[in-house]
């Protein structure tokens, strides 16, 4: 049944007001949310043409979302349902911030129009297509609906999805309302959050201590954003630099961004990020002084190596273009049509090439830190984009702490949110400057996925987590993705408070919830989807008793051949190369099979190769394999809405399911053991309800439930926990593939083309 | 790779059950390569857990021996050893060492490196030996070995002109091609005893009985007992009950190579069947055969659920039509009423061979940094895989959802037909997804139905340009691997199993893949004179088992046959590349978790027993106290 579980009974975090008259189970408003307009008797299409499976219901536009409320409880197959519930959004809901484009169609009149904000609509639409940033394409038909209200809804959707001002983003209403309600700022159950936000000096202090960065200190020169507008109030600098120096240096840097410490290797090497020096006269001098300060902070006084990101990595526009091309081939082009050219289309999108470039560059930085024992300075013009990706990846590879859920969130907080990645602009929430839009964060998540795909047991979280995190960018409630930098966040919050005449307490500002408070979106049960059974299962400490061995592969010669660099006597190579080839062999094969193709190997590659030849220690350094053949398309993210690509009762979830059951059993046993050890000689040993040990398991699938039957639940598909049903309606009724309009265009369907297009 | 593992059953010391025997370990492996250690740890995660009960010293000992020393198989004998040979590794450059040739393998080692560098491969994988260029100024000659397992090896060694001693590569040439040199294949020498006789894995009567045959519509016939209806078919066949044996011969006259339509699989509920045959001998004049038409009608009638019969012709329509010139062709819908003919567009063996050649070019030795995907696309390898899987999917879907019987054929019915019928059966019947069931499937649809392994692989045959060679079976295994990727819990076997099968396809260590037909195998007396691959596999099945496997009763698998899900099997095609570490095997982690669970269970039970014991001694009122109430215990 489609009727959605309302957000759960013990609902505490996200105050939701349910609206009575409609189906109470399938529609609710969040705090601060109001209905703008609605239309009844709307059909949501599940396929390219009308289908008896289409859903009938009411289309509602609020100030937060487009909601589709079904009147009837449809008896759909379980596999057509989402397997989780978002507390802010129903299964058929689309957050307005996630709308990329709104297209209205009048079939009879042969008209189409891409609706912008504040536009007029001269025809009454029979159809509405909503293109979403998360790759969904949803289609509504209005054959039975009143033309006036239809028009109103379409215009409202277009208008509200393109807010003119940041304050019109729903998060302000939401946070304001929450502030007013009794649970003021109770939204932040700070205690339960294991994520360091790095908005106070103590978080940085702890990080310094954790990484053993002894000659580094937290500086507060930027308190009140007095020095740099885009740096956080607190950050870490070499201990040898005084505040006075910093202030003096800051003037010469782009954005007045004083170089900022990211992380320390246990060997003492530091990772630092730095914006470009704007003042050419100061360049050399400043550079020298910064470097010598960093060198001084290194216990061995090693050199500082520089890594110029702008020169070696794709820029914002290129990444955005790659993303648009990828979207094109994944969801817009008809499925069968590009099957034959799929691989080359994927290649020419360049998305995977860029993913690989970032990973590869990060490996090089890892090599400098780990292999050359040097501190590294990441240099980028503004230090707010590429450096975020590279520094986070480097830390993920080097530091297992960041591969835990809390650690990963802290990492994003530190290297993205606090470092001033311009989420507002990159997400293009205000749809003002398309040139600034770039899915850099998604690219980063894809890189993480590649690592996770290669080392599934090394991460505490799952790919579902990464996907859901990415989707959260389009829910404009979380401070994480709403602002361009901490100062921006602080100012906007203050202004909003003033305009709403909210009296601020000692906290001084309205506090927007950050995305890490997952309770805003998901129940505890659904949050279990984030936990990787391999990580959980293994983290259960096993009693060593002589019988259980550690399973780390101990074989020394993981690969006998890979030790060390090839050291060949020079004369020999030359001699062999000059051997004349026999034509019989060389005839058909263009590359001579006997001639070792010269692959120039950089020291970083050799380092990587050598590492790959040894057994992996999942709690140690982790390097990705970077042969082009090792990078894969992140299918869950990019293909989850494509019905044709859905493997029913298949996909990696099948393994996840099996592993979860096992991990759950292990946890249960562990709890039992602890109870026994705790000295409770219960005659009914297993369960003593109420003890802390009985905390709900961390696994989504639990052993001993119906899930544990030999037959696996039918709803498990490769799209799990999402469902493509009704979420991807390619319109091919025009007889012209949409792709025709789309080559190179930033928007999915360009205005002029469509306006002129007749049916 | 052969240095470790609990292959106790393989060695001479089999009596001491958990004692690893070093020589036996070496003996069974054929995937000998410079990457071998790597490979084993990659594809056989299970080895790790299996190994845990071995004493540490034994492990150390075995790895020391295996690292640098040649371990001979029973009746394997060293033919010659040449020191001062250079292996020109495409990844590591030139490596100097010694090269040993036996009647089974080629063994190169370099002890200067630490750990020792070893290259160890059965000579059976060599498809040609070429002398490259002239003798160099230093008096060195280069030799290249092209291998069937997607790699090329190049050596150089000093060669004295006019010396009486022959170059060691002449020996390689001799032992790699026993057939061309009138020698016995090593499979006939190797007499390793195993606890189980793999030749008994497949018993046709038992398999048909499992399928519920014979029944009122289908009978088992011995008409081909002496292989005179069809010499490439097995002795035991299942045909429609109302077609007498005499008529089968007349049907055989109308089907290419006498390969009449016979049953491969029957649906347990609907009675829809998968039947296979070769093309009808229609010719340019559109010849017809009443017996053949009646035969197909009988196949249709045997399934009461449907009044239709689907004939899947694996070929592209153009090829099918072209075959008419050679007397073959396809069923016309006029002659075969109620039959619908579908072409599946799968190309012939020559196209496939060419595709694999291109693939090898793209993946070996190095992968070009740019254009990887378009290079891969240009080999069309995955496209062929896709067409084969798509064909099998259509067959499975017709049988399962359409409840309709199908007839599958190509030209001769031993290449594409075998691919399609076996893959469709794998989708339809969970039995074939078990470790043993898969062996039955290969024995039945491939070996007994006469896939011409000898000809397609060219065992021991020097003629590497033979147009009959083609990677048909490799494609099948690749398709199976693709399915295991999409359904990670639906197969009892793991990737290592598939790779092992492919390695022994070429090794000529076992008799399983020798010869072209059941008849030939009996003539050669293979079950007596050689060892079956399944003997080896079944005696250490843990290594080949997928721990995630769940027996989904009656689950039909419908893979998504799209380029979006098909992948190049890097664990096979790119395994020689040192920059590739096999995927972190989920299986291994799963096994670790299983062990952890077992340990915890044991602990809990122990404690429970202890508690029960204490409770028994304790005063009665305490034993009866409610659970969880605090009791004074040791602090």
């Amino acid at each position: 049944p489609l009727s959605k579980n309302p957000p759960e009974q013990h609902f505490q975090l996200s105050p939701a007001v349910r609206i009575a008259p409609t189906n109470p189970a399938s529609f609710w408003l969040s705090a601060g949310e109001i209905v703008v307009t609605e239309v009844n008797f709307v059909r949501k299409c599940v396929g390219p043409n009308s289908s008896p499976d289409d859903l009938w219901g009411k289309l509602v536009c609020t100030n937060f979302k487009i909601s589709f409320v079904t009147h009837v409880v449809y008896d759909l197959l379980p596999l057509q349902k989402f397997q989780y519930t978002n507390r802010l959004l129903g299964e058929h809901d689309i957050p307005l911030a996630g709308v990329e484009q709104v297209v209205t169609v009048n079939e009879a009149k042969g008209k189409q129009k891409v609706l912008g904000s504040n536009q007029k609509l001269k025809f009454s639409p029979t159809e509405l297509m909503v293109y979403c940033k998360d790759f969904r394409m949803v289609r509504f038909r209005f054959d039975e609906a009143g033309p006036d209200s239809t028009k109103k809804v379409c215009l409202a959707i277009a208008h509200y999805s393109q807010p003119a001002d940041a304050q019109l983003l729903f998060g302000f209403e939401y946070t304001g309302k929450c502030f007013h309600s009794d649970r003021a700022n109770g939204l932040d159950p700070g205690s339960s959050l294991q994520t360091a936000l790095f908005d106070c000096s103590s978080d940085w202090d702890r990080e310094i201590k954790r990484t053993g960065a002894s000659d580094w200190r937290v500086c507060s020169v930027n308190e009140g954003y007095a020095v740099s507008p885009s740096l956080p109030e607190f950050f870490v600098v070499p201990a040898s630099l005084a505040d006075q120096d910093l202030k003096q240096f800051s003037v010469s840097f782009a954005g007045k961004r004083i170089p900022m410490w990211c992380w320390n290797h246990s060997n003492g090497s530091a990772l630092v990020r730095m914006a470009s020096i704007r003042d050419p006269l100061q360049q050399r001098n400043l550079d020298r002084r910064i470097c010598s300060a960093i060198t001084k902070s290194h216990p061995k006084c090693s050199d500082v190596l520089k890594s110029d990101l702008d020169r070696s990595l794709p820029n914002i526009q290129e990444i955005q273009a790659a993303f648009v091309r990828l979207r094109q081939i994944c969801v817009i082009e008809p499925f069968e049509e590009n099957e034959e050219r799929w691989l080359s289309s994927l290649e020419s999108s360049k998305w995977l090439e860029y993913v690989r470039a970032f990973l590869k560059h990060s490996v090089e930085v890892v090599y400098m830190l780990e292999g050359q024992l040097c501190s590294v300075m990441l240099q980028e013009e503004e230090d707010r984009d590429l450096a975020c990706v590279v520094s986070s990846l480097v830390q993920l590879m080097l530091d297992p702490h960041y591969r835990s859920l809390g650690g990963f969130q802290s990492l994003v907080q530190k290297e993205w949110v606090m470092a001033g990645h311009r989420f507002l602009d990159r997400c293009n929430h205000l749809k003002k400057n398309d040139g600034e839009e770039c899915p850099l964060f998604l690219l980063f998540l894809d890189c993480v996925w590649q690592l996770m795909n290669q080392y599934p047991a090394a991460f505490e979280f799952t790919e579902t987590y990464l996907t859901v995190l990415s989707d959260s960018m389009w829910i404009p409630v979380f401070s994480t993705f709403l602002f361009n930098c901490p100062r921006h966040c602080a100012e906007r919050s203050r202004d909003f408070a003033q305009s709403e005449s909210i009296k601020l307490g000692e906290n001084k500002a309205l506090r927007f919830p950050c995305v890490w408070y997952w309770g805003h979106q998901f129940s505890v049960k659904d949050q279990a989807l984030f936990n990787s059974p391999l990580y959980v299962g293994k983290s259960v400490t096993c009693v060593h008793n002589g019988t259980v061995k550690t399973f780390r592969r101990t074989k020394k010669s993981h690969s006998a051949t890979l030790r060390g660099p090839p050291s060949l006597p020079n004369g020999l190579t030359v001699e062999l190369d000059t051997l004349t080839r026999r034509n019989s062999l060389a005839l058909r094969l263009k590359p001579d099979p006997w001639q070792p193709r010269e692959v120039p190997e950089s020291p970083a590659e050799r380092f990587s190769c050598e590492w790959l030849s040894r057994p992996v220690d999942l709690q140690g350094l982790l390097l990705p394999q970077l042969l082009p053949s090792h990078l894969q398309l992140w299918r869950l993210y990019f293909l989850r809405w494509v019905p044709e690509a859905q493997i029913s009762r298949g996909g990696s979830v099948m393994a996840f399911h099996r592993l979860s059951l096992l991990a759950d059993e292990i946890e249960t046993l562990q709890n039992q053991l602890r109870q026994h050890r705790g000295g409770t000689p219960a005659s009914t040993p297993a369960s003593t309800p109420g003890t802390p040990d009985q905390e709900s398991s961390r696994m989504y699938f639990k052993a001993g439930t119906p899930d544990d039957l030999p037959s696996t639940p039918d709803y498990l598909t490769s799209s799990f926990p999402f469902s493509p049903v009704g979420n991807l309606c390619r319109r091919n009724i025009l007889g012209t593939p949409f792709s025709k309009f789309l080559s190179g265009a930033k928007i999915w369907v360009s205005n002029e083309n469509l306006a002129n297009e007749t049916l | 790779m052969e240095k470790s593992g609990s292959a106790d059953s393989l060695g001479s010391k089999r009596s001491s059950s958990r004692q690893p025997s070093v020589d036996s370990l070496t003996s069974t492996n054929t995937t000998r390569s410079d990457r071998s250690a790597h490979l084993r740890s990659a594809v056989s995660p299970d080895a790790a857990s299996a190994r845990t009960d071995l004493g540490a010293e034994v492990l150390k000992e075995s790895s020391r021996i295996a690292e640098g020393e040649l371990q001979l198989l029973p009746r394997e004998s060293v033919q010659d050893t040449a020191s001062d040979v250079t292996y020109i590794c495409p990844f590591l450059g030139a490596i100097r060492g010694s090269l040993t040739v036996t009647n089974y393998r080629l063994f190169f080692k370099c002890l200067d490196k630490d750990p020792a560098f070893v290259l160890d491969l059965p000579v059976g994988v060599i498809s040609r030996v070429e002398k490259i260029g002239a003798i160099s100024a230093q008096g060195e000659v280069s030799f290249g070995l092209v291998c069937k397992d997607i790699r090329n090896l190049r050596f150089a060694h000093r060669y004295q002109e006019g010396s009486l001693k022959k170059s060691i590569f002449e020996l390689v040439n001799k032992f790699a091609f026993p057939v061309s040199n009138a020698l016995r294949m090593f499979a006939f020498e190797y007499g390793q005893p195993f606890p189980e006789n793999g030749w008994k894995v497949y018993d046709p009567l038992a398999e048909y009985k499992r399928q519920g045959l014979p029944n009122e519509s289908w009978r088992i016939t011995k008409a081909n007992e002496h292989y005179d209806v069809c010499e490439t078919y097995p002795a035991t066949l299942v045909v429609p009950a109302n077609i007498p044996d005499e008529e089968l011969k007349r049907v055989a006259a109308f089907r290419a190579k006498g390969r009449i339509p016979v049953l491969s699989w029957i649906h347990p509920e609907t009675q829809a069947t998968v039947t296979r045959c070769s093309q009808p001998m229609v010719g340019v004049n559109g010849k017809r055969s009443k017996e053949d038409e009646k035969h197909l009608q009988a196949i249709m009638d045997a399934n009461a659920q449907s009044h239709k019969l689907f004939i899947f012709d694996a070929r592209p329509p153009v090829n099918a039509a072209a075959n008419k010139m050679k007397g073959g062709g396809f069923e016309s819908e006029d002659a075969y009423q109620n039959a619908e003919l579908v072409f599946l567009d799968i190309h012939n063996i020559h196209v496939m061979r060419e595709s694999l050649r291109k693939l090898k070019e793209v993946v070996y030795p190095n992968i070009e940094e740019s254009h990887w995907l378009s290079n891969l696309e240009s080999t069309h390898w995955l496209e062929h895989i896709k067409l084969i899987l798509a064909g099998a999917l259509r067959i499975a879907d017709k049988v399962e959802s359409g409840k309709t019987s199908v007839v599958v054929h190509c030209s001769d019915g031993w290449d594409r037909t075998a691919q399609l019928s076996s893959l469709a059966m794998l989708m339809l019947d969970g039995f074939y997804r078990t470790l043993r069931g898969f062996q039955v499937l290969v024995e039945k649809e491939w070996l007994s139905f006469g896939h011409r392994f000898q000809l397609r692989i060219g065992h021991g045959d020097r003629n590497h340009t033979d147009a009959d060679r083609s990677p048909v079976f490799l494609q099948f295994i690749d398709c199976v691997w693709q399915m295991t990727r999409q359904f990670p819990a639906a197969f009892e076997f793991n990737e290592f199993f598939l790779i092992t099968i492919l390695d022994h396809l070429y090794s000529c260590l076992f008799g399983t893949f020798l010869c072209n037909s059941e008849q030939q195998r009996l003539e050669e007396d293979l079950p007596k004179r050689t060892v079956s691959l399944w003997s080896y596999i079944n005696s250490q099945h843990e290594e080949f088992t997928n721990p995630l496997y769940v027996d989904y009763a009656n689950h039909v698998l419908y893979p998504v046959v799209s380029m979006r899900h098909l992948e190049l099997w890097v664990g096979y095609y790119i395994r020689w590349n040192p920059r590739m570490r096999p995927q972190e095997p989920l299986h291994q982690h799963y096994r670790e978790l299983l062990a952890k669970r077992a340990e915890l269970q044991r602990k809990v039970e122990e404690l429970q027993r202890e508690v029960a014991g204490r409770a028994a001694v304790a005063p009665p009122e305490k034993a009866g106290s409610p659970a969880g109430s605090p009791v004074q215990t040791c602090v």
Side-chain angles (χ1 to χ4, degrees), chain A residues 285-298:
Chain A
N285 175 36
L286 201 53
D287 204 65
R288 208 193 56 236
R289 290 196 60 187
I290 297 286
C291 285
S292 78
I294 296 174
T295 303
K296 260 188 223 156
S297 294
H298 193 291

Side-chain angles (χ1 to χ4, degrees), chain A residues 554-557, chain B residues 2-5 13 19-23 25-26 51 54-71:
Chain A
T554 45
K555 254 194 304 168
K556 207 182 100 198
S557 56
Chain B
E2 36 296 319
K3 68 195 64 154
S4 46
K13 300 179 198 160
Q19 200 68 0
S21 110
V22 169
D23 29 30
L25 297 171
T26 330
R51 246 180 261 132
L54 308 179
E57 330 83 287
V58 181
L59 247 177
K60 212 183 280 169
E61 177 73 1
S62 68
S63 55
R64 190 188 59 74
I65 291 174
E67 250 172 40
E69 269 154 60
L70 170 57
Q71 301 295 313

Side-chain angles (χ1 to χ4, degrees), chain B residues 244-288:
Chain B
D245 283 353
E246 313 81 69
E247 274 188 43
L248 294 179
K249 295 204 172 156
R250 268 169 283 170
V251 176
F254 188 65
R255 289 279 165 180
K257 310 285 196 300
R259 295 172 67 92
I260 57 173
V262 293
L263 180 140
S264 278
W265 190 78
I266 184 163
H267 195 288
E269 281 148 27
T270 67
Q271 306 287 298
T273 55
V274 178
T275 47
R276 58 182 289 174
C277 56
S278 60
Q279 64 182 338
M281 300 307 281
V282 174
V284 271
N285 299 323
K287 248 194 306 174
R288 289 175 62 164

Side-chain angles (χ1 to χ4, degrees), chain B residues 244-419:
Chain B
D245 283 353
E246 313 81 69
E247 274 188 43
L248 294 179
K249 295 204 172 156
R250 268 169 283 170
V251 176
F254 188 65
R255 289 279 165 180
K257 310 285 196 300
R259 295 172 67 92
I260 57 173
V262 293
L263 180 140
S264 278
W265 190 78
I266 184 163
H267 195 288
E269 281 148 27
T270 67
Q271 306 287 298
T273 55
V274 178
T275 47
R276 58 182 289 174
C277 56
S278 60
Q279 64 182 338
M281 300 307 281
V282 174
V284 271
N285 299 323
K287 248 194 306 174
R288 289 175 62 164
S289 156
K290 252 193 225 120
E291 289 79 10
D292 193 70
E293 285 159 31
K294 186 181 161 202
H295 193 100
L296 290 200
Q297 184 65 36
I299 290 172
M300 195 192 86
D301 292 342
N303 169 19
Q305 302 263 358
S306 168
H307 299 291
K308 239 186 158 168
L309 181 71
F310 270 87
I311 302 175
F312 285 99
D313 187 326
R315 301 165 293 185
V318 188
N319 299 28
N323 261 286
K324 287 189 175 176
M325 308 306 288
K326 294 183 253 166
F330 50 89
E331 294 82 355
S332 76
E333 283 174 16
D334 293 341
Y336 298 84
Q337 304 218 331
N338 305 322
E340 196 173 323
L341 185 68
V342 178
F343 292 104
L344 294 176
D345 285 315
I346 301 169
H347 284 279
N348 63 27
I349 58 167
H350 311 293
V351 176
M352 301 308 187
R353 182 177 58 237
E354 180 61 12
S355 175
L356 183 65
R357 188 190 63 75
K358 284 188 193 150
L359 181 67
K360 184 171 174 178
E361 229 173 66
V362 169
V363 301
Y364 190 88
N366 289 304
I367 291 176
E368 250 182 75
E369 292 279 308
S370 52
H371 309 301
W372 156 247
L373 290 174
S374 50
N375 285 342
L376 180 60
E377 186 175 272
S378 70
T379 69
H380 298 289
W381 182 257
L382 286 178
E383 208 181 309
H384 295 313
I385 296 291
K386 175 184 158 166
L387 282 170
I388 295 165
L389 272 172
L393 182 65
R394 288 181 73 172
I395 292 167
D397 182 52
K398 256 315 157 228
V399 172
E400 173 69 21
S401 318
K403 299 177 178 161
T404 308
S405 292
V406 300
V407 173
V408 188
H409 72 71
C410 46
S411 295
D412 291 321
W414 50 43
D415 293 313
R416 288 166 275 194
T417 301
Q419 290 175 331

Side-chain angles (χ1 to χ4, degrees), chain B residues 126-198:
Chain B
I126 297 169
S127 122
R128 58 179 144 137
V129 180
E130 298 266 350
K131 199 168 150 194
I132 307 168
I135 299 172
S136 73
Q138 283 79 7
E140 289 214 337
V141 192
S142 266
F143 282 93
L145 311 182
V146 179
C147 299
K148 295 169 183 174
D149 59 0
I150 327 287
R151 57 179 159 163
N152 300 325
L153 306 170
R154 185 180 170 192
F155 295 92
H157 83 132
R158 201 162 288 279
Y159 179 68
Q160 277 105 32
E161 191 108 36
S163 142
L164 285 177
K165 198 170 175 329
K166 284 183 173 172
S167 160
I168 192 156
F169 288 95
E170 283 176 45
L171 273 175
V172 175
N173 226 334
K174 181 173 163 195
F175 286 96
F177 309 115
V179 171
S180 308
N181 293 307
L183 291 168
R184 281 217 303 188
M185 250 183 238
F186 186 72
F188 294 101
E189 311 283 343
Y190 176 65
Q192 180 82 56
F194 287 95
E196 190 197 306
N197 183 356

Side-chain angles (χ1 to χ4, degrees), chain A residues 339 344 356 561 614 625, chain B residues 34 369 374 377 386 581:
Chain A
E339 265 290 296
S344 48
R356 185 162 167 264
T561 65
R614 293 191 300 264
Q625 307 180 75
Chain B
D34 42 352
E369 292 279 308
S374 50
E377 186 175 272
K386 175 184 158 166
R581 173 206 283 281

